[in-house]
Amino acid sequence: MWEIFWRGTAMGIGGTLFMDIWAIILHRAFGQSAANWGPVGRWFWHLPKGKVFHDSIAKAEPHANEAAIGWIAHYAVGILYGIILALLVPPGWFTAPTFLLPFIVGIVTVGAGWFLLQPGLGIGWAASKTPNPNKVRALNLVAHTIFALGMFVTALLIA
C-alpha cells in the first residue's frame, strides 16, 4: 500500500507541475492570463462552512492567505488524482507504464472542474457564464491532457 501511495503522490506532483509549466508557457508565449489560485483558495476556505456554490467567488468573504490555500489545494488535488491512478492501474503497470490510463484519468478529472469547481466559483457549469465558454473548455481539456502527460512521464521516471 505504501508503494501505491508514494507512486501516486509522485505522479500527482509531476502531473500538476507539468500543468503549471504549461500555464506559464501559455501566459508568456501566447498572452493567456496567468494562473490565479486565489479564488480557488477562497472557495476551498468556504467549503468547511458549508458553502459550495457561489454566485461570484469574488463577492465571497476573502481570506488573507487564499492564494497559498489555492496553491496547496491545487497540488493536493493533483496528488489525490495521482493516487487514484495508482490504485486503478493493473499489477505490473509501473514496470512498463503506458499513456492510456493517465490520459483517461486526466480527461475524467475535467469533470470535477466543470461540474464542481467552476459552478462553485460562480462561473457556471463547464464555464457557461464566462465570455467564451468553449475556449475555457478547450483549455481545460488541453491542461488535463498535459496533467496526464506529466503523470505518465513521472511513472516512467520512477519505474
Side-chain angles (χ1 to χ4, degrees):
M1 189 57 140
W2 170 248
E3 186 169 335
I4 289 172
F5 177 78
W6 81 259
R7 288 181 185 274
T9 298
M11 289 190 304
I13 291 169
T16 307
L17 188 60
F18 266 55
M19 183 185 275
D20 289 339
I21 292 168
W22 174 247
I24 291 167
I25 292 168
L26 285 177
H27 175 64
R28 292 188 180 164
F30 301 103
Q32 182 67 32
S33 297
N36 178 6
W37 292 102
V40 174
R42 186 178 295 185
W43 181 73
F44 268 95
W45 184 66
H46 282 275
L47 285 177
K49 299 174 181 184
K51 185 71 172 170
V52 178
F53 299 104
H54 297 263
D55 292 328
S56 170
I57 198 66
K59 294 179 183 175
E61 180 185 351
H63 186 279
N65 299 311
E66 59 192 31
I69 294 168
W71 276 103
I72 291 166
H74 174 54
Y75 273 83
V77 169
I79 289 168
L80 175 65
Y81 292 156
I83 291 171
I84 290 170
L85 174 60
L87 288 167
L88 293 175
V89 297
W93 183 83
F94 282 105
T95 59
T98 58
F99 181 65
L100 181 60
L101 291 174
F103 177 68
I104 291 170
V105 169
I107 295 302
V108 168
T109 62
V110 172
W114 285 357
F115 304 114
L116 180 61
L117 179 62
Q118 291 172 356
L121 295 173
I123 63 173
W125 303 101
S128 61
K129 294 180 181 177
T130 63
N132 192 342
N134 287 331
K135 178 183 176 184
V136 175
R137 294 170 189 149
L139 287 170
N140 294 159
L141 288 167
V142 172
H144 281 250
T145 300
I146 299 294
F147 173 73
L149 180 63
M151 289 196 299
F152 171 63
V153 169
T154 303
L156 289 173
L157 292 173
I158 63 175

mmCIF file of all heavy atoms in Angstrom, residues 18-28 32-35:
data_model
loop_
_atom_site.group_PDB
_atom_site.id
_atom_site.type_symbol
_atom_site.label_atom_id
_atom_site.label_comp_id
_atom_site.label_asym_id
_atom_site.label_seq_id
_atom_site.Cartn_x
_atom_site.Cartn_y
_atom_site.Cartn_z
ATOM 1 N N PHE A 18 3.689 19.677 -14.527
ATOM 2 C CA PHE A 18 3.565 19.816 -15.981
ATOM 3 C C PHE A 18 2.461 20.819 -16.330
ATOM 4 O O PHE A 18 2.638 21.659 -17.209
ATOM 5 C CB PHE A 18 3.248 18.455 -16.634
ATOM 6 C CG PHE A 18 4.442 17.692 -17.122
ATOM 7 C CD1 PHE A 18 5.507 17.385 -16.288
ATOM 8 C CD2 PHE A 18 4.492 17.248 -18.429
ATOM 9 C CE1 PHE A 18 6.593 16.663 -16.750
ATOM 10 C CE2 PHE A 18 5.575 16.522 -18.907
ATOM 11 C CZ PHE A 18 6.624 16.226 -18.066
ATOM 12 N N MET A 19 1.325 20.714 -15.640
ATOM 13 C CA MET A 19 0.206 21.612 -15.893
ATOM 14 C C MET A 19 0.607 23.063 -15.605
ATOM 15 O O MET A 19 0.255 23.974 -16.368
ATOM 16 C CB MET A 19 -0.993 21.205 -15.024
ATOM 17 C CG MET A 19 -2.240 22.024 -15.250
ATOM 18 S SD MET A 19 -3.573 21.598 -14.116
ATOM 19 C CE MET A 19 -4.313 20.231 -14.961
ATOM 20 N N ASP A 20 1.358 23.264 -14.530
ATOM 21 C CA ASP A 20 1.792 24.621 -14.179
ATOM 22 C C ASP A 20 2.791 25.172 -15.191
ATOM 23 O O ASP A 20 2.737 26.356 -15.536
ATOM 24 C CB ASP A 20 2.383 24.649 -12.772
ATOM 25 C CG ASP A 20 1.324 24.460 -11.705
ATOM 26 O OD1 ASP A 20 0.131 24.694 -11.984
ATOM 27 O OD2 ASP A 20 1.697 24.070 -10.581
ATOM 28 N N ILE A 21 3.679 24.333 -15.653
ATOM 29 C CA ILE A 21 4.635 24.758 -16.685
ATOM 30 C C ILE A 21 3.871 25.128 -17.962
ATOM 31 O O ILE A 21 4.177 26.139 -18.607
ATOM 32 C CB ILE A 21 5.703 23.674 -16.942
ATOM 33 C CG1 ILE A 21 6.613 23.547 -15.703
ATOM 34 C CG2 ILE A 21 6.508 23.974 -18.204
ATOM 35 C CD1 ILE A 21 7.508 22.319 -15.716
ATOM 36 N N TRP A 22 2.877 24.338 -18.318
ATOM 37 C CA TRP A 22 2.044 24.637 -19.482
ATOM 38 C C TRP A 22 1.352 25.992 -19.315
ATOM 39 O O TRP A 22 1.302 26.792 -20.254
ATOM 40 C CB TRP A 22 1.013 23.527 -19.699
ATOM 41 C CG TRP A 22 0.028 23.804 -20.787
ATOM 42 C CD1 TRP A 22 -1.305 24.019 -20.652
ATOM 43 C CD2 TRP A 22 0.312 23.920 -22.183
ATOM 44 N NE1 TRP A 22 -1.877 24.260 -21.880
ATOM 45 C CE2 TRP A 22 -0.900 24.196 -22.842
ATOM 46 C CE3 TRP A 22 1.469 23.812 -22.947
ATOM 47 C CZ2 TRP A 22 -0.999 24.368 -24.212
ATOM 48 C CZ3 TRP A 22 1.373 23.987 -24.326
ATOM 49 C CH2 TRP A 22 0.161 24.260 -24.945
ATOM 50 N N ALA A 23 0.837 26.275 -18.119
ATOM 51 C CA ALA A 23 0.176 27.563 -17.868
ATOM 52 C C ALA A 23 1.162 28.716 -18.025
ATOM 53 O O ALA A 23 0.803 29.779 -18.563
ATOM 54 C CB ALA A 23 -0.443 27.577 -16.468
ATOM 55 N N ILE A 24 2.391 28.530 -17.597
ATOM 56 C CA ILE A 24 3.420 29.571 -17.754
ATOM 57 C C ILE A 24 3.722 29.789 -19.234
ATOM 58 O O ILE A 24 3.839 30.937 -19.693
ATOM 59 C CB ILE A 24 4.697 29.197 -16.959
ATOM 60 C CG1 ILE A 24 4.416 29.279 -15.453
ATOM 61 C CG2 ILE A 24 5.864 30.105 -17.342
ATOM 62 C CD1 ILE A 24 5.493 28.641 -14.591
ATOM 63 N N ILE A 25 3.829 28.715 -19.988
ATOM 64 C CA ILE A 25 4.068 28.828 -21.434
ATOM 65 C C ILE A 25 2.918 29.585 -22.108
ATOM 66 O O ILE A 25 3.151 30.489 -22.913
ATOM 67 C CB ILE A 25 4.269 27.429 -22.072
ATOM 68 C CG1 ILE A 25 5.584 26.818 -21.589
ATOM 69 C CG2 ILE A 25 4.213 27.503 -23.604
ATOM 70 C CD1 ILE A 25 5.748 25.346 -21.924
ATOM 71 N N LEU A 26 1.687 29.222 -21.778
ATOM 72 C CA LEU A 26 0.532 29.915 -22.357
ATOM 73 C C LEU A 26 0.551 31.404 -22.020
ATOM 74 O O LEU A 26 0.227 32.240 -22.872
ATOM 75 C CB LEU A 26 -0.779 29.300 -21.853
ATOM 76 C CG LEU A 26 -1.186 27.962 -22.441
ATOM 77 C CD1 LEU A 26 -2.470 27.468 -21.769
ATOM 78 C CD2 LEU A 26 -1.384 28.050 -23.945
ATOM 79 N N HIS A 27 0.932 31.721 -20.799
ATOM 80 C CA HIS A 27 0.962 33.110 -20.365
ATOM 81 C C HIS A 27 2.059 33.895 -21.084
ATOM 82 O O HIS A 27 1.805 34.969 -21.634
ATOM 83 C CB HIS A 27 1.146 33.184 -18.845
ATOM 84 C CG HIS A 27 1.301 34.569 -18.324
ATOM 85 N ND1 HIS A 27 0.299 35.527 -18.412
ATOM 86 C CD2 HIS A 27 2.340 35.192 -17.732
ATOM 87 C CE1 HIS A 27 0.726 36.647 -17.890
ATOM 88 N NE2 HIS A 27 1.962 36.479 -17.462
ATOM 89 N N ARG A 28 3.263 33.368 -21.070
ATOM 90 C CA ARG A 28 4.407 34.110 -21.619
ATOM 91 C C ARG A 28 4.449 34.138 -23.140
ATOM 92 O O ARG A 28 4.809 35.149 -23.736
ATOM 93 C CB ARG A 28 5.709 33.539 -21.066
ATOM 94 C CG ARG A 28 5.850 33.817 -19.580
ATOM 95 C CD ARG A 28 7.194 33.448 -19.060
ATOM 96 N NE ARG A 28 7.280 33.740 -17.631
ATOM 97 C CZ ARG A 28 8.191 33.263 -16.850
ATOM 98 N NH1 ARG A 28 9.138 32.465 -17.326
ATOM 99 N NH2 ARG A 28 8.200 33.575 -15.568
ATOM 100 N N GLN A 32 -2.000 34.408 -22.590
ATOM 101 C CA GLN A 32 -3.105 33.891 -21.779
ATOM 102 C C GLN A 32 -2.959 34.438 -20.356
ATOM 103 O O GLN A 32 -1.852 34.621 -19.867
ATOM 104 C CB GLN A 32 -3.066 32.352 -21.761
ATOM 105 C CG GLN A 32 -4.184 31.692 -20.990
ATOM 106 C CD GLN A 32 -5.537 31.894 -21.642
ATOM 107 O OE1 GLN A 32 -5.664 31.981 -22.851
ATOM 108 N NE2 GLN A 32 -6.562 31.988 -20.827
ATOM 109 N N SER A 33 -4.043 34.712 -19.681
ATOM 110 C CA SER A 33 -3.974 35.200 -18.305
ATOM 111 C C SER A 33 -3.164 34.236 -17.441
ATOM 112 O O SER A 33 -3.263 33.022 -17.606
ATOM 113 C CB SER A 33 -5.380 35.331 -17.709
ATOM 114 O OG SER A 33 -6.126 36.279 -18.430
ATOM 115 N N ALA A 34 -2.386 34.806 -16.526
ATOM 116 C CA ALA A 34 -1.591 33.978 -15.612
ATOM 117 C C ALA A 34 -2.520 33.244 -14.658
ATOM 118 O O ALA A 34 -3.618 33.714 -14.343
ATOM 119 C CB ALA A 34 -0.617 34.853 -14.829
ATOM 120 N N ALA A 35 -2.069 32.084 -14.220
ATOM 121 C CA ALA A 35 -2.840 31.301 -13.257
ATOM 122 C C ALA A 35 -3.015 32.112 -11.974
ATOM 123 O O ALA A 35 -2.064 32.729 -11.491
ATOM 124 C CB ALA A 35 -2.139 29.986 -12.964
#
